[in-house]
Amino acid sequence: MKRSYLVILFFTISIFTTIQAQRLDEGYWKSQLKLQNNYSLDFHFSIDEHQQMIIYNDTEEVELNAFEKSDDSIKVYFTNFPTYLIFKASSSKSLKGYFVNPDRKGFKRIEFEADFAGKKLNQVFDYKKTSTDIAGKWEVYFNPNTKHEHPAIGLFKQQKSKASGTFLTETGDYRFLSGNVKNNKLVLSCFDGAHVFLFSATLENDTLKGKFLSGIHYQTNWYGIRNENFELKDPDSLTYLVNDEFKFNVETVENEVYNYPNDDLKNKVVIIQIIGTWCPNCLDETRFYKELYEEYNEKGLEIVGVAYEVPKTFEGKVDRINRFTKNKEIEYPILVGGYASKKESSEDFGMLNEISSFPTSVFINKDGKVVKIHTGFNGPGTGKIYEDYKIKTKALVERLLNE
């Protein structure tokens, strides 16, 4: 009996020790992801008294789910995506492990490490005065002097050496970027569970010249010059009808055929939202459309999402869509498109010239006529641009409802 008690006692102590080892120090942590060519993406997160982890990208707060025990490691999933961090705690103040994106065929794992910084945010950052000024609007080109060159707008803010902002492209924005300016060097980054974006540049006279890295699988050059008057193409002009009959058929999450147009949407104002639940810009748009739906559904607005997902099986796609609608409390239906491919979505919506971006939204009046097609989405990271778009879209919906 004594031996049995000793075994039970040892097992109990082992469990208690494991639980204690999993408890991380409350406060702010400095962390980094190790990218290619000796680059690293620095970010910070906090751990609260409930062991809730929150990652910060400028003003964005990315909440992760509760810690899970995974063999001898700790695993924590992002709430919005199937990605996760898995790590071991060598102490309550030091972590090492990986960021994992299971949807990637290659380059799934990126090395991750973190160290406790302190209870206060100023223990993470020490922003100082600098003579380098990057604040303002920049005319930017990625992949310059190649056939893949494409324009963007850099919108940057600066307080002392603290830098923040985003890039606008013709298919959406790069969301919340934060970093610093030091000795003519600019660094901006975003890590939100989907994006692993690092932008670095050197200010030479009036030109920023640098590199853009996405995870450990992609990098390219970019440059920017100050230009307050620079504009991109109108996102309402990029996708258009090539024949007048807008119709499609896909499946519901219940595996039933869904045809558009249909009797349920007659005499309704309709937004068809072409998205992927893996897409952060789609998430931003969906949060806005949730507001629209709650405000205008009883007045005659209907929104129908069509999601293109990474899993190959129908069941896998449904799982992603159901998790998305449940987590975000989306009341309008999201249907099952095909694989997460602009080519495949373009084939399904063959009446359009192409689907060049997730998301793409088609606005339809009560008579069933397409009145606007909006490509991409510039979300809350763009500040006034986002707020102005919300006002403009609400005005359009109200006009269509009153016609």
Side-chain angles (χ1 to χ4, degrees):
M1 289 291 290
K2 275 187 175 181
R3 185 174 179 182
S4 297
Y5 282 128
L6 286 172
V7 170
I8 293 170
L9 179 62
F10 175 77
F11 184 66
T12 303
I13 292 171
S14 296
I15 292 175
F16 178 77
T17 303
T18 301
I19 292 172
Q20 288 294 99
Q22 288 180 5
R23 187 164 186 87
L24 305 179
D25 277 17
E26 298 167 23
Y28 292 94
W29 291 66
K30 288 183 177 179
S31 186
Q32 66 174 217
L33 297 169
K34 296 183 179 179
L35 309 185
Q36 66 264 45
N37 299 329
N38 296 319
Y39 283 90
S40 64
L41 186 158
D42 297 328
F43 66 99
H44 72 287
F45 63 85
S46 65
I47 301 288
D48 67 15
E49 68 273 18
H50 306 294
Q51 296 291 279
Q52 172 78 54
M53 179 184 285
I54 300 176
I55 293 174
Y56 300 91
N57 296 295
D58 191 25
T59 58
E60 180 188 40
E61 298 183 0
V62 180
E63 292 187 0
L64 284 82
N65 291 324
F67 290 167
E68 296 180 7
K69 187 74 168 61
S70 178
D71 296 327
D72 61 345
S73 300
I74 300 169
K75 182 185 287 188
V76 55
Y77 280 89
F78 287 81
T79 57
N80 295 323
F81 309 106
T83 52
Y84 58 89
L85 292 168
I86 185 167
F87 51 83
K88 293 181 181 179
S90 56
S91 71
S92 65
K93 299 179 183 293
S94 183
L95 313 175
K96 283 192 176 182
Y98 296 91
F99 166 65
V100 181
N101 185 345
D103 284 345
R104 286 206 169 276
K105 294 179 181 178
F107 309 106
K108 288 185 177 182
R109 292 155 59 100
I110 300 176
E111 286 187 59
F112 155 78
E113 61 182 40
D115 294 296
F116 183 69
K119 296 284 187 179
K120 298 179 180 179
L121 197 58
N122 62 10
Q123 293 172 300
V124 180
F125 301 108
D126 182 22
Y127 295 120
K128 298 178 179 179
K129 289 184 178 179
T130 176
S131 59
T132 305
D133 178 19
I134 55 88
K137 183 177 180 180
W138 296 72
E139 178 181 349
V140 172
Y141 293 90
F142 291 98
N143 302 303
N145 304 315
T146 73
K147 64 180 181 179
H148 301 295
E149 178 180 280
H150 64 273
I153 293 174
L155 297 176
F156 306 142
K157 300 176 183 177
Q158 184 176 341
Q159 294 178 335
K160 293 185 177 180
S161 59
K162 178 184 178 180
S164 62
T166 194
F167 291 91
L168 279 66
T169 74
E170 291 179 346
T171 56
D173 70 289
Y174 281 34
R175 304 190 81 249
F176 296 88
L177 303 176
S178 56
N180 61 74
V181 180
K182 185 177 181 181
N183 299 327
N184 286 351
K185 304 285 186 182
L186 168 66
V187 176
L188 290 168
S189 65
C190 171
F191 175 50
D192 57 15
H195 292 148
V196 182
F197 286 168
L198 176 65
F199 302 87
S200 62
T202 301
L203 182 61
E204 300 177 5
N205 297 319
D206 61 349
T207 303
L208 284 168
K209 296 180 180 179
K211 289 190 179 296
F212 164 45
L213 283 75
S214 179
I216 56 175
H217 65 282
Y218 177 82
Q219 78 170 52
T220 189
N221 297 324
W222 68 278
Y223 77 89
I225 54 176
R226 291 184 190 275
N227 187 348
E228 292 293 330
N229 299 315
F230 182 64
E231 299 294 340
L232 300 171
K233 291 179 181 177
D234 185 344
D236 295 346
S237 69
L238 300 175
T239 307
Y240 49 86
L241 288 167
V242 293
N243 67 57
D244 291 334
E245 192 173 18
F246 184 82
K247 63 179 182 178
F248 63 89
N249 64 283
V250 292
E251 293 172 282
T252 68
V253 293
E254 291 83 18
N255 202 14
E256 297 175 351
V257 175
Y258 182 96
N259 292 301
Y260 179 87
N262 58 63
D263 290 341
D264 291 339
L265 299 180
K266 275 188 175 179
N267 301 315
K268 297 289 186 73
V269 174
V270 181
I271 301 174
I272 304 297
Q273 182 195 24
I274 303 167
I275 63 169
T277 64
W278 44 268
C279 159
N281 295 96
C282 301
L283 173 61
D284 288 338
E285 184 182 69
T286 300
R287 285 171 172 152
F288 170 47
Y289 282 2
K290 179 184 175 182
E291 294 176 23
L292 273 184
Y293 189 80
E294 290 171 351
E295 185 171 354
Y296 295 107
N297 175 243
E298 290 186 357
K299 299 177 182 179
L301 173 68
E302 297 291 346
I303 302 175
V304 178
V306 183
Y308 288 80
E309 299 298 314
V310 173
K312 296 296 178 72
T313 65
F314 178 81
E315 293 75 17
K317 293 179 175 67
V318 169
D319 285 344
R320 294 286 176 92
I321 293 168
N322 284 341
R323 185 187 64 187
F324 183 77
T325 55
K326 181 181 178 181
N327 284 348
K328 303 307 163 195
E329 298 179 333
I330 307 303
E331 295 183 11
Y332 61 83
I334 297 183
L335 310 173
V336 186
Y339 180 67
S341 157
K342 288 181 280 189
K343 179 181 177 183
E344 191 159 329
S345 60
S346 295
E347 290 172 354
D348 289 344
F349 291 88
M351 76 296 299
L352 305 178
N353 62 319
E354 65 174 339
I355 301 294
S356 62
S357 174
F358 295 105
T360 293
S361 289
V362 182
F363 293 75
I364 302 168
N365 68 13
K366 293 179 182 178
D367 295 327
K369 293 183 179 179
V370 174
V371 296
K372 184 176 93 163
I373 303 173
H374 188 83
T375 299
F377 190 75
N378 290 317
T382 66
K384 187 175 184 301
I385 291 171
Y386 169 65
E387 296 299 332
D388 287 348
Y389 178 75
K390 288 173 66 176
I391 293 170
K392 181 180 176 182
T393 302
K394 285 187 177 184
L396 172 63
V397 168
E398 289 180 359
R399 177 173 65 80
L400 295 176
L401 288 171
N402 292 325
E403 285 181 348

